[in-house]
Every structure is written in C-alpha cells, then in structure tokens.
Amino acid sequence: MQNTRVLVSGASIAGPALAYWLHRSGFDVTVVEKASSIRPGGQAVDFKGPIHMRVLREMGILDEVRAADVRDADGIIVNAAGRKVGTAPGGFGAGEVNIPRGDLARILHRLTEDTTEYVFGDSITSLTDTGDGVDVTFEHGAPRTFDLVVGADGMHSNVRRLAFGPESEHVTHLGYHYVLADLDTGPDDVVYSEPGITVMLGGTKAPAFLVFAGPPLPPARDDVARQKQQVTEALRHGKWRIPELLEQLPDARDFYMDSISRATVDHWSRGRVVLLGDSAWGNALGGYGTGLAVVGAYVLAGELARAGGDHVTAFDTFERRYRNYASISHKVNAGKLLAPRTTAGIRVRNLLFSTLAVFGPLMRVVDRPASNLVLEDYDAHRTGRDTDSRTGSSTGTTGVGGAD
C-alpha cells in the first residue's frame, strides 16, 4: 500500500465517513476541522433506498441511525390571515430515515475518534503538491506533509479554493437562500408562503426554516450578526408572523444561513488532491446531499484500497463510477418548489403538497435517483483493520452488494 498518509478537511459527514473506510483499508487519517468541536444542530438529513441502508449497515451504525429517526406530522398551510389553505405532507422528501444532522455527525465521530487524528479549531492555509506529496500549512498548527488531501469541507470548500481556484469559478447561485433558526414558534407545524418567501415552523428541519428568493448576498460566512441583518432586510416586508419572527432573530442562538447553490467542478481531483461531497458536486437542498456524501466516501476509499493507494488510478475510477450518480444534485433546486415567486406558483405548490399528503406513496418517486448505482464490493482489498472503535471487537463484513 502506498500513499497511506491522508489529510481530510471537514469533520461533518463526508469527512468522518471517509476516515472510517480509509482506516479499514490501512490508511492513516487526519481530519482537520475549522470549528472547535463537532458542530451540533442543523436540519434533519435523510437516507433512502437500499444503497444508503447497505452502506450504513456495513459501517455498523444502521441501528443507531434508525434509533435517532425523527418524523414530521402533516402540517397546515396558511394564508396571511392564518386561515388553512392546504396540507403540507410531513414525509415529503424525508426518506426512510430522517436524522438530525448533529446526531449523525456525533455518531460518525464516535465511530472514528479512536482510529483517526482529529484536529479541531484549525484550517488549511496552503497546499503545495510536490509530486511526491502535499505540503500543507495551517492557520495555527505546524506545517505537515501528507500523501493525499481530501476536501470534504462543503459547498464553500477551502480545499477547492486552494487547489482548484476561487469559489466564483465553481459555485452558481440558484436564486434562493435558506435559514435555520431556533425561534419561539409555538407547537404547531405551519407553512406560510408569499411570492418568493416561505416560512416553515415546527418540524424536524429547525424550529424555523425560512426560504427566500433573491440575488447573491455580500459574503458574510463568519459574521452571524451580519447574516441576521441580511435576513431581516430581505424579509422586512413580509406578512403573517414574519415581523414577529424577525424581532426574535437577533437573539437566536442556533442560526445557520446559506444560499441554495450548485457546485460544478470539471474534474474532482487535481494531482494528489480530491474533492468529496458538496465540495465536488454540490447540493441544491433536494434531500440527496447526505446520502451522496456517505456513499461517496465508501466508493472513494474502496477505489483507493483496490488501487493499493495509487491515487491517479483511484481518483479517476472514483469519478467515472460516481459522477453520474452524484449528478442528481445538479437536477434539483428546492427553492423553486419551497418558495415559488408567484401567487399562481404557490397555489400549484399547495395543491401538489395536499395531494401528496393524501397519496403518500407518490412521494417515493423522488427517492428513485438514490438507488441508481451498482456498488462494488471492496472487502477483498481491505487490510482487515475492521475493529469497532466503540467496542474493541471485530465487526466483520459481508459486502454491501448483498440483499438488504
């Protein structure tokens, strides 16, 4: 095995999932994360279909993930006067398992913390591919050299910026923004829309989940106060309970804001650096991002194991096998469905939601792309380092190609 020293940027979902499989295949993995710890909170994320379930089972966490499942009841859609005008299906896009993102991140961290070096509170400042390795400098830590570097650090990837070019060359704004905020919203699941704005209160995404149309906003990635001001400015003319919610916004402790955007990268690897997850293919808030990240980690690590660490072969095969499957992230834009820009569009959306609430099986149609992949069985190429870090016992594997 060659190229066994791997640096992964990002400790959310894709990074720890990759660390698990790389360790199983004989690699020594370091994960660097800008945050001071595993990030709590965040919206509920979902897994759907046999491919997702098989990978989770192979990791030994399927039962734990299922135990953390949360379900949304049907909500009511109201107009500006608060009168019910439709029904929002609780299961729309939720998949078979719907788990809070923070819970999943903690599960993956516990799975890997004894076999992976985690460096929190730091970030990469430069990458120099020397041909024999990658020289890496950090904001706080001493410089180090790794054989391979993986950018699993999301839509606004630092690794992609350093190795592939500025974000403006790879990320396209799709005309919408979304906000997750811990606000006092009351006990009911309620949806309100006006042209270009939707407010969803209650449910598993967050106490308040806001989607609004608009052009790109001035960057404020590390300035939460400025982000809250941007939301207030964008929604200042909103009706219904929007003024009340905006009054609470400055004091919201849990708050996350981002654009709905698409990442487009011609090639996911450059030399000894490769991208994984949203940094490579993006996610337009369509319910596929987490599953794509976890399955992608399995495939990338498996191809590296099969190639004996030959990154040129492994990175090329990974992209050829996975690009079509990941392309579903380029075919959706949840903003158009969640926050139509016209009154007529809102009426059509409300009719669709009300129909889905009655005919639940129709929602399975949106899950079909999650099954469009034939998984390879990489067991024969792993080194046998399959000790369960939580119990110290051998997990054993049967391969994800078997029946669910």
Side-chain angles (χ1 to χ4, degrees):
M1 182 73 70
Q2 58 180 303
N3 297 325
T4 58
R5 299 169 301 168
V6 181
L7 173 66
V8 179
S9 177
S12 181
I13 305 300
L18 180 66
Y20 171 80
W21 290 113
L22 287 177
H23 170 74
R24 286 273 302 274
S25 301
F27 294 85
D28 294 315
V29 186
T30 298
V31 176
V32 61
E33 167 58 49
K34 183 177 182 179
S36 59
S37 63
I38 293 296
R39 296 176 187 266
Q43 74 273 27
V45 297
D46 58 273
F47 295 99
K48 57 192 73 172
I51 292 174
H52 295 182
M53 299 305 140
R54 289 171 185 170
V55 173
L56 293 174
R57 179 184 296 109
E58 189 74 358
M59 297 178 75
I61 61 173
L62 178 56
D63 289 344
E64 192 172 2
V65 169
R66 279 179 168 159
D69 179 56
V70 290
R71 293 285 110 184
D72 280 329
D74 288 348
I76 61 171
I77 303 173
V78 300
N79 61 17
R83 188 176 71 252
K84 180 178 178 179
V85 294
T87 300
F92 181 73
E96 297 173 42
V97 179
N98 200 42
I99 176 174
R101 191 212 60 82
D103 290 357
L104 178 61
R106 285 191 292 271
I107 290 171
L108 291 171
H109 180 248
R110 288 200 303 269
L111 182 69
T112 56
E113 61 182 338
D114 293 337
T115 58
T116 299
E117 177 191 10
Y118 279 92
V119 179
F120 289 101
D122 209 347
S123 62
I124 300 170
T125 55
S126 72
L127 298 169
T128 303
D129 189 332
T130 65
D132 297 320
V134 184
D135 294 338
V136 184
T137 61
F138 299 90
E139 185 175 355
H140 302 296
R144 297 171 65 176
T145 298
F146 296 88
D147 296 315
L148 306 172
V149 174
V150 182
D153 44 359
M155 181 69 77
H156 306 287
S157 171
N158 184 41
V159 168
R160 188 186 60 221
R161 177 181 62 82
L162 292 170
F164 295 77
E167 181 170 308
S168 59
E169 296 181 0
H170 303 291
V171 176
T172 302
H173 178 64
L174 297 182
Y176 292 86
H177 306 267
Y178 70 99
V179 175
L180 304 161
D182 186 8
L183 305 179
D184 183 9
T185 62
D188 297 326
D189 292 352
V190 184
V191 178
Y192 167 74
S193 295
E194 59 188 64
I197 299 173
T198 284
V199 177
M200 307 176 77
L201 305 182
T204 59
K205 289 293 183 186
F209 178 42
L210 317 176
V211 180
F212 60 94
L217 295 171
R221 294 292 302 164
D222 297 318
D223 189 345
V224 173
R226 177 58 185 145
Q227 290 178 359
K228 291 178 178 179
Q229 290 175 355
Q230 289 175 336
V231 176
T232 299
E233 292 166 5
L235 304 185
R236 65 186 183 279
H237 298 304
K239 302 175 183 177
W240 188 57
R241 294 178 59 188
I242 291 177
E244 165 205 336
L245 298 173
L246 293 181
E247 287 182 3
Q248 297 184 43
L249 200 59
D251 297 324
R253 289 177 295 177
D254 291 331
F255 175 91
Y256 180 81
M257 175 183 176
D258 204 349
S259 64
I260 298 179
S261 299
R262 176 178 296 128
T264 304
V265 184
D266 290 340
H267 298 286
W268 294 345
S269 62
R270 180 164 294 181
R272 292 175 172 269
V273 180
V274 65
L275 303 176
L276 174 68
D278 288 357
S279 64
W281 49 77
N283 178 31
L285 211 66
Y288 298 99
T290 302
L292 285 173
V294 170
V295 177
Y298 170 86
V299 176
L300 175 57
E303 292 301 335
L304 278 166
R306 175 149 58 186
D310 178 354
H311 65 286
V312 175
T313 299
F315 290 171
D316 179 67
T317 306
F318 163 62
E319 183 163 352
R320 284 192 292 105
R321 291 187 183 279
Y322 209 67
R323 183 175 276 275
N324 182 61
Y325 182 64
S327 67
I328 183 59
S329 64
H330 285 192
K331 299 174 183 177
V332 294
N333 178 356
K336 292 182 178 180
L337 176 65
L338 294 176
R341 292 174 180 262
T342 66
T343 300
I346 292 172
R347 289 173 181 157
V348 172
R349 192 279 316 273
N350 290 350
L351 178 61
L352 171 65
F353 277 3
S354 296
T355 301
L356 290 176
V358 176
F359 300 103
L362 290 176
M363 289 187 288
R364 296 274 68 81
V365 173
V366 302
D367 294 348
R368 288 178 183 171
S371 302
N372 186 28
L373 178 71
V374 176
L375 284 178
E376 298 289 320
D377 186 345
Y378 299 108
D379 277 0
H381 306 285
R382 297 190 184 119
T383 64
R385 293 171 64 178
D386 57 352
T387 299
D388 187 328
S389 62
R390 296 164 297 176
T391 65
S393 62
S394 176
T395 61
T397 59
T398 59
V400 299
D404 185 74

